[in-house]
Amino acid sequence: MAQGNRPYASLEIIPPLTGISKEQLINDIRPFTEFNPRYINVTCHRDEIEYVQQEDGTFSRRLVRRRVSETAVCGAIQSELKVDVVPHIICGGASAHQIEFQLQDFKFMGISNVLALRGDCLAGEKRFTPAPGGFSHADELVRAIRDFEKRNGCEGFFRIGVGGYPEKHFEAPNIETDIDNLKKKVDAGADYIIAQMFFDNKVFYSFVDKCREAGISVPIIPGIKPISTFRHLQLLPESFSIDIPRELTDEILSFRDDREAIYRIGQEWATAQCKDLLAHGVPAIHFYTMGKSANVIGILKECF
């Protein structure tokens, strides 16, 4: 973005479940590299808690890691594909000291771009609970990263991205308050914003206008996720608190038993979104791949 040559595509992947080999991971990602993505975001997932019944009938609590660590995934992508990586750093499940160790690893690996997020609640939690000695909000995390740079003599090493919500974060009482919270993250030292997925570009343009009015001047990157299954009509609004336009909903409902048609409709809708966004001068488009490649590759062929 700083070079400002032309808009580019970036991708977000989810670390695979444990048990997959490095070769399998790389083979899954390799088709994207034909389009020279500027970077690949790698999500971070909290360890899960599992309760195991003992012989005496009591239960013991233990942590379970179901996915390969993002640090391992970042290392594999760097070494095998030579593509820049942007790991997520989340408040959830980590103390300030643990996050500092993570930053030390990223600096050692030459990873200078990160995405700082609060993270989701654990399953069963009604409200986000920080780890003991951890952070409650993403602006605190951004400030901690900048403090790490100062204390380690590497000021300006990290380029920090944060999340933005065109339809507001589900916990915010209104969009204006949510944008006030977003500005706190930028004021703490964030360099750019990646928007949550949306399916109506007018919502994104309105969000950008509100951000600019609030004094947020950093680049804002739209996030795109093509619908690929009928279940997405329920799962995406439920999981991400977003709206799916009536026109798109009705079209998918009319083909509810035709999986190929729904896949095509979702790809065509996202392609139209991207062409319109590029025409409006966005600096980049970020794709939430959810581990799927065919539809995103189809969009990249048409738009980049």
Side-chain angles (χ1 to χ4, degrees):
M1 284 187 294
Q3 293 170 356
N5 296 332
R6 58 190 297 267
Y8 62 84
S10 62
L11 309 166
E12 182 169 298
I13 65 167
I14 300 171
L17 296 172
T18 54
I20 193 174
S21 68
K22 183 175 78 170
E23 289 71 24
Q24 287 174 285
L25 169 69
I26 295 303
N27 288 337
D28 287 343
I29 300 172
R30 196 178 299 278
F32 292 120
T33 60
E34 174 188 346
F35 303 94
N36 299 312
R38 192 66 58 87
Y39 55 84
I40 295 176
N41 273 40
V42 182
T43 63
C44 178
H45 294 262
R46 297 173 65 171
D47 294 335
E48 297 178 25
I49 297 173
E50 190 173 78
Y51 291 90
V52 181
Q53 188 169 14
Q54 306 299 304
E55 290 183 0
D56 62 0
T58 61
F59 287 84
S60 64
R61 183 176 181 270
R62 70 179 182 185
L63 289 177
V64 179
R65 175 167 292 181
R66 302 192 187 280
R67 293 186 179 275
V68 177
S69 77
E70 62 167 346
T71 305
V73 171
C74 287
I77 293 172
Q78 281 186 314
S79 64
E80 299 294 328
L81 299 177
K82 313 302 181 188
V83 178
D84 281 343
V85 290
V86 180
H88 292 194
I89 301 177
I90 62 173
C91 301
S95 67
H97 290 303
Q98 288 171 310
I99 288 171
E100 180 149 330
F101 298 153
Q102 197 174 19
L103 292 171
Q104 290 171 353
D105 285 345
F106 291 150
K107 187 174 183 297
F108 173 79
M109 297 169 70
I111 295 173
S112 58
N113 292 291
V114 295
L115 192 67
L117 305 166
R118 187 198 70 176
D120 297 327
C121 299
L122 281 173
E125 274 187 343
K126 291 185 177 181
R127 296 179 182 82
F128 178 82
T129 304
F135 304 114
S136 299
H137 302 286
D139 63 301
E140 299 170 3
L141 176 57
V142 172
R143 199 169 289 108
I145 296 171
R146 292 303 183 208
D147 181 61
F148 170 88
E149 291 177 321
K150 290 178 184 177
R151 287 186 288 102
N152 288 273
C154 57
E155 290 184 64
F157 177 81
F158 287 108
R159 291 292 177 265
I160 306 172
V162 292
Y165 300 86
E167 298 175 68
K168 87 172 184 63
H169 192 278
F170 74 96
E171 294 177 8
N174 53 68
I175 186 67
E176 290 77 16
T177 300
D178 199 32
I179 289 175
D180 289 344
N181 290 332
L182 178 58
K183 189 172 187 301
K184 290 179 183 178
K185 294 187 272 189
V186 174
D187 291 345
D191 296 294
Y192 64 97
I193 297 163
I194 294 182
Q196 178 60 277
M197 67 182 75
F198 56 90
F199 293 91
D200 182 346
N201 285 7
K202 293 192 294 294
V203 171
F204 176 74
Y205 299 141
S206 174
F207 170 69
V208 173
D209 289 342
K210 285 182 170 68
C211 287
R212 300 310 182 214
E213 290 168 5
I216 296 172
S217 60
V218 300
I220 302 175
I221 300 174
I224 295 295
K225 163 76 177 89
I227 285 178
S228 57
T229 70
F230 180 76
R231 292 186 69 231
H232 279 164
L233 286 185
Q234 176 183 351
L235 291 177
L236 295 180
E238 189 177 88
S239 300
F240 301 102
S241 298
I242 55 174
D243 286 338
I244 298 177
R246 181 65 180 269
E247 180 185 352
L248 177 56
T249 300
D250 286 348
E251 191 172 5
I252 291 174
L253 286 171
S254 67
F255 289 94
R256 63 187 308 148
D257 297 320
D258 189 337
R259 300 171 75 178
E260 290 185 7
I262 292 172
Y263 198 87
R264 172 183 52 77
I265 291 166
Q267 181 175 323
E268 289 175 352
W269 184 277
T271 299
Q273 278 189 274
C274 291
K275 289 180 177 179
D276 182 69
L277 289 164
L278 292 169
H280 278 76
V282 297
I285 297 179
H286 186 67
F287 291 93
Y288 296 102
T289 69
M290 305 295 190
K292 309 296 182 183
S293 62
N295 50 9
V296 173
I297 286 173
I299 297 166
L300 292 174
K301 284 180 178 178
E302 285 208 46
C303 299
F304 292 91

